[in-house]
Amino acid sequence: MSPTRSPDGSPPPARPATTSADEPTPGDGGTAPRPRAAEVSTPGPAGRVDDDAPADAERATRDLAAQFEDEKPGRVLSGPAGLLLTVASLAVGALALWQVFRPLAQGSKYYLIFFLAGVLPLVFLVYPADLRLAARLRARLRRTGGADRPVGPGLPRPAPARPTAVDWALVALAVAGCLYPVLPISIGTGGGGYNAFLDRQGLLVPVDLAMGTVLLLLLLEACRRTTGWILPTVCLLFLGYGYYGGLLPQSWPVAHAGLDFSQLIDAFYNSDSGFYGTPLDVAASYIVLFTIYGAALELSGAGRFFVELSAAAFRRSRTAAGRTAVASGFLLGTVSGSGAATTVSIGAVTWPLLRRAGYPPERAGGMLAAAGVGAILSPPTLGAAAFIIAEYLGVSYLQVLGWATVPTVLYYLGILLAVEIDARRSGVRPVVIDVSSPWRLLARFGYHFASLIAIVVLLAVGVSATRAVVFATVLAVALSFLDRAHRLTPARLVAALVTGVRGVLAVTAVCAAAGIITATTTKTGLGPQAAALLVGGAEAVTSDPTLVLVLTALLAAVALTLLGLAVPVTASFVIGWVIVGPALLDLGVTAPAAAMFVFYFAVLSEVSPPTALAAVAAAAVTGGRLVPTMWQTLRYALPAYLTPIAFVITPAGLGLLGIGGARRIAVAAVVIALSMAVLAVAAGGWLPGVGPAGAPERVLGALAGVTLLWLEPVPVAVGVTLAAITVVGVLVRRGAAGRAGGPRAGSPANLREETL
């Protein structure tokens, strides 16, 4: 899902900040420079920043965020192409809204045909075919970034570009390939309208095969343009498996009877599990509406308010800069589903604060990336895969929100603990943030929370997710008139609609292409066969059922992490669900736990080296070295890699998903919170309020954290004991240092940043 940015891209302006002394900043290589106009502006009434920040700085931030909305950047269209994009986006948005209240009589697949026909051609207009463009742009971003050069006018902006003749030809082919199934005229033995096309299911004529092949190739090219080569390659591997699998020795578990090309095209083009399957249905029915809602909420000033509220809440604390970054990521994440773009949005505002507080660029970038990725996990607007979970499991979206709530809180708790440890270990300086009190901000602008609350309330009373988000959008529009600077006039409403539709282009291409994977898996029976191989690998090591489950979960976690390095989150979830999901279900794991397990590891791929798209975005903001930024991101997010294991290895883990009653939920949340705390101490080497932890204490803390994941009485008791020994060890170390006359824990001598 795309980030919630306004069409003109204006992110919240940076807050004014001062430090207790204008002293050298680690990583700057000298005295911290005075903030630029992009960083500091004069606070207005109620702590609001005046609207006179340089427009070019805001546009630069917008454009930088746009580069990381997907793995490849899009064009800035103008002229006839820009007008066509606007008109087509309005038509798609209007159709999506119409479908909510007046569904097309011919059914959802009929609607999906028109939706794809409106979106796929826009992909070829917006995303260029240049194979080297993304690499060149990222290299340029890294060269132009720097610790002494925050996001501002100096960052490059993509130049307006015109679609080529090839792009226009692909646009025409996309329109023809998508609309062919509903073409009311006959073309030889093909065509003849929607009903005639459905009647030929399993008996496609040559024209059907030709148009289905065209659409297949177009979707592969659309995925290549938006996400790179990996996902099209994966789709081609599945396609090859479906075609050549019959040639494999039939004694092999993954062998099948074989499918000819016409059967594959029929499965992709004229079935409910192919191009027009559940993933595309989710994109067309849910995601586009949520991106429109997010764009409207952002244009109404909500994003700016969320950042200001975060700054106000922590303005007097020693770790105000770090806490503001994490809290901003959480609040902005409630209306955004893009980890990398959210990273840029919060980084544009909080990096100047982090730099003046003394954070090196790599460590600040890791914090920003970890906080930004939480946007895909944060209710009520989760990533696209969350809607697919609801469809696959046949549950309401409200239930998925319930499953995600406790893990999201624990995820941000882990990051906050790491921030507190870094502040004491790395000599972070206090930063005074000049904003008004949070209560005053809430009293004046707290109405921005109303539409978010409305979504949850409407879902709770039985309103469908699609209608709930439309009503919430209407509420956000109405409330925008309480702030004169952010009223959603008709022109701005049109802009929000266009922004929302543009934000779903890449997701739609990925979801439609995912039909290749799901249809092939369904036709060949690959899912159960792969699940049997996964479980068989664990059973080859041990015959104990409990250990088999643990080993299967660990193997699945490794496989999902590796998969997520190559493909986007949505595709990673779809592939993981059809391959790993059956293995977990066969071992007795409940469907909610299995689905959320796959979902979380698909999301965490955005912070996993060596790809770590969110870390790439953070490095572009801070100017830090890319590889160290990735490792810092991994350190901040490390506890989140272990928490999903607790979902599946014991029934008590369901408490983390809000299942099983208040007592189970509370116990699971407290125990895993303790696990994250000791893991943070182990990773950071510092116990807040006490002092540094040595190697023995860090090892014990890591063992305690891992043991606590097993939510059963004996492992929990062992984990608590190890955690207590860890604390005692740190206390003894502090006392020994004091008796030896060394620097006391927490003194400046102990607060030096380690070399990365």
Side-chain angles (χ1 to χ4, degrees):
M1 196 180 300
S2 68
T4 55
R5 302 188 312 274
S6 62
D8 66 354
S10 301
R15 301 295 303 153
T18 58
T19 57
S20 55
D22 193 13
E23 50 191 326
T25 300
D28 282 357
T31 302
R34 292 185 62 82
R36 301 185 176 196
E39 301 172 45
V40 176
S41 52
T42 305
R48 303 282 287 182
V49 176
D50 291 341
D51 295 320
D52 56 357
D56 54 353
E58 296 188 355
R59 286 196 301 269
T61 304
R62 179 266 326 267
D63 293 330
L64 180 59
Q67 309 316 315
F68 298 97
E69 181 178 332
D70 306 290
E71 295 206 13
K72 297 185 75 175
R75 293 184 175 106
V76 178
L77 296 177
S78 59
L83 179 61
L84 178 59
L85 173 66
T86 299
V87 172
S89 297
L90 287 175
V92 170
L95 177 63
L97 293 171
W98 179 270
Q99 178 70 7
V100 173
F101 299 99
R102 300 281 185 178
L104 300 180
Q106 295 87 344
S108 62
K109 184 176 178 180
Y110 190 76
Y111 162 63
L112 295 180
I113 289 172
F114 283 99
F115 180 83
L116 188 61
V119 170
L120 186 59
L122 297 182
V123 173
F124 299 111
L125 287 180
V126 172
Y127 294 92
D130 189 347
L131 305 179
R132 298 168 296 174
L133 178 58
R136 287 205 308 266
L137 178 59
R138 288 181 187 174
R140 185 181 178 193
L141 286 172
R142 289 196 292 272
R143 288 197 304 269
T144 55
D148 61 345
R149 190 170 186 174
V151 172
L155 284 175
R157 299 184 61 205
R162 297 178 181 177
T164 65
V166 173
D167 295 330
W168 285 110
L170 293 177
V171 168
L173 284 174
V175 172
C178 292
L179 292 181
Y180 169 76
V182 297
L183 192 66
I185 61 175
S186 297
I187 303 177
T189 55
Y194 182 60
N195 291 332
F197 179 75
L198 294 181
D199 291 341
R200 294 194 297 273
Q201 186 172 0
L203 301 169
L204 297 186
V205 298
V207 179
D208 299 336
L209 292 175
M211 299 306 293
T213 303
V214 167
L215 187 55
L216 169 65
L217 296 175
L218 289 171
L219 287 173
L220 293 176
E221 169 63 8
C223 286
R224 186 196 66 79
R225 290 185 177 215
T226 56
T227 66
W229 279 102
I230 301 298
L231 181 56
T233 302
V234 171
C235 292
L236 288 173
L237 289 175
F238 273 85
L239 182 63
Y241 170 72
Y243 188 75
Y244 292 108
L247 302 179
L248 297 174
Q250 292 302 303
S251 59
W252 289 13
V254 294
H256 59 86
L259 300 169
D260 61 33
F261 191 71
S262 64
Q263 290 176 305
L264 289 170
I265 294 299
D266 180 77
F268 301 153
Y269 199 33
N270 202 355
S271 76
D272 293 334
S273 62
F275 302 147
Y276 305 108
T278 298
L280 181 60
D281 192 12
V282 166
S285 301
Y286 297 95
I287 300 173
V288 66
L289 297 176
F290 273 85
T291 56
I292 292 172
Y293 162 68
L297 194 61
E298 175 68 22
L299 271 175
S300 71
R304 182 174 180 172
F305 161 69
F306 290 155
V307 175
E308 289 182 355
L309 182 62
S310 301
F314 305 117
R315 69 190 190 280
R316 298 189 185 280
S317 68
R318 175 180 180 179
T319 55
R323 291 182 182 181
T324 298
V326 176
S328 298
F330 172 72
L331 290 176
L332 289 177
T334 59
V335 293
S336 171
S338 172
T342 303
T343 297
V344 173
S345 297
I346 62 176
V349 179
T350 59
W351 163 233
L353 304 179
L354 295 170
R355 186 186 60 211
R356 293 185 65 81
Y359 283 94
E362 293 80 11
R363 181 154 292 189
M367 181 193 306
L368 293 172
V373 165
I376 315 178
L377 307 174
S378 301
T381 306
L382 301 171
F387 298 95
I388 299 178
I389 291 174
E391 291 296 310
Y392 277 170
L393 301 188
V395 299
S396 70
Y397 183 60
L398 181 63
Q399 284 186 271
V400 179
L401 294 184
W403 299 341
T405 299
V406 174
T408 299
V409 173
L410 291 174
Y411 176 80
Y412 279 102
L413 173 64
I415 300 176
L416 278 174
L417 289 171
V419 168
E420 297 299 317
I421 289 172
D422 280 352
R424 289 153 179 80
R425 178 189 180 196
S426 305
V428 171
R429 297 189 297 272
V431 175
V432 179
I433 305 176
D434 185 15
V435 291
S436 65
S437 73
W439 303 114
R440 188 176 180 186
L441 282 173
L442 282 171
R444 176 63 182 89
F445 301 103
Y447 61 82
H448 286 300
F449 286 113
S451 61
L452 293 169
I453 297 172
I455 291 177
V456 178
V457 172
L458 290 172
L459 290 173
V461 299
V463 178
S464 67
T466 53
R467 293 196 174 198
V469 72
V470 172
F471 293 147
T473 304
V474 173
L475 179 60
V477 172
L479 292 176
S480 71
F481 286 87
L482 296 176
D483 185 357
R484 183 176 181 180
H486 295 93
R487 293 175 180 173
L488 291 179
T489 60
R492 290 165 65 84
L493 277 177
V494 169
L497 199 62
V498 173
T499 300
V501 172
R502 174 161 179 158
V504 85
L505 296 184
V507 175
T508 299
V510 169
C511 287
I516 300 171
I517 297 166
T518 56
T520 302
T521 303
T522 301
K523 283 285 187 180
T524 61
L526 177 62
Q529 295 164 346
L533 284 175
L534 189 61
V535 175
E539 290 177 340
V541 178
T542 179
S543 59
D544 182 85
T546 302
L547 292 179
V548 167
L549 175 58
V550 173
L551 285 175
T552 301
L554 292 176
L555 289 173
V558 172
L560 289 168
T561 300
L562 294 176
L563 176 66
L565 298 179
V567 298
V569 172
T570 304
S572 178
F573 173 79
V574 171
I575 299 171
W577 179 247
V578 300
I579 302 298
V580 173
L584 297 175
L585 295 175
D586 289 345
L587 293 175
V589 177
T590 63
M596 296 304 287
F597 177 89
V598 175
F599 173 61
Y600 272 83
F601 277 105
V603 170
L604 290 172
S605 65
E606 288 219 8
V607 296
S608 301
T611 53
L613 184 60
V616 174
V621 173
T622 66
R625 293 168 292 163
L626 185 56
V627 173
T629 299
M630 288 183 177
W631 288 115
Q632 290 293 340
T633 302
L634 183 63
R635 183 177 67 85
Y636 277 104
L638 183 61
Y641 282 85
L642 300 177
T643 302
I645 302 291
F647 295 169
V648 299
I649 61 176
T650 130
L654 291 174
L656 294 173
L657 302 179
I659 300 174
R663 183 176 179 275
R664 173 188 276 184
I665 296 171
V667 170
V670 170
V671 172
I672 298 302
L674 177 60
S675 172
M676 288 200 159
V678 291
L679 286 172
V681 171
W686 193 279
L687 181 62
V690 181
E697 293 84 17
R698 296 177 76 170
V699 171
L700 283 175
L703 290 175
V706 172
T707 304
L708 288 168
L709 296 175
W710 199 297
L711 291 168
E712 297 294 340
V714 173
V716 168
V718 172
V720 170
T721 301
L722 291 174
I725 295 174
T726 300
V727 174
V728 171
V730 177
L731 288 170
V732 170
R733 182 177 298 275
R734 175 183 179 178
R739 289 192 299 273
R744 297 179 56 194
S747 67
N750 281 340
L751 294 177
R752 298 293 182 247
E753 177 64 29
E754 295 181 357
T755 301
L756 293 173

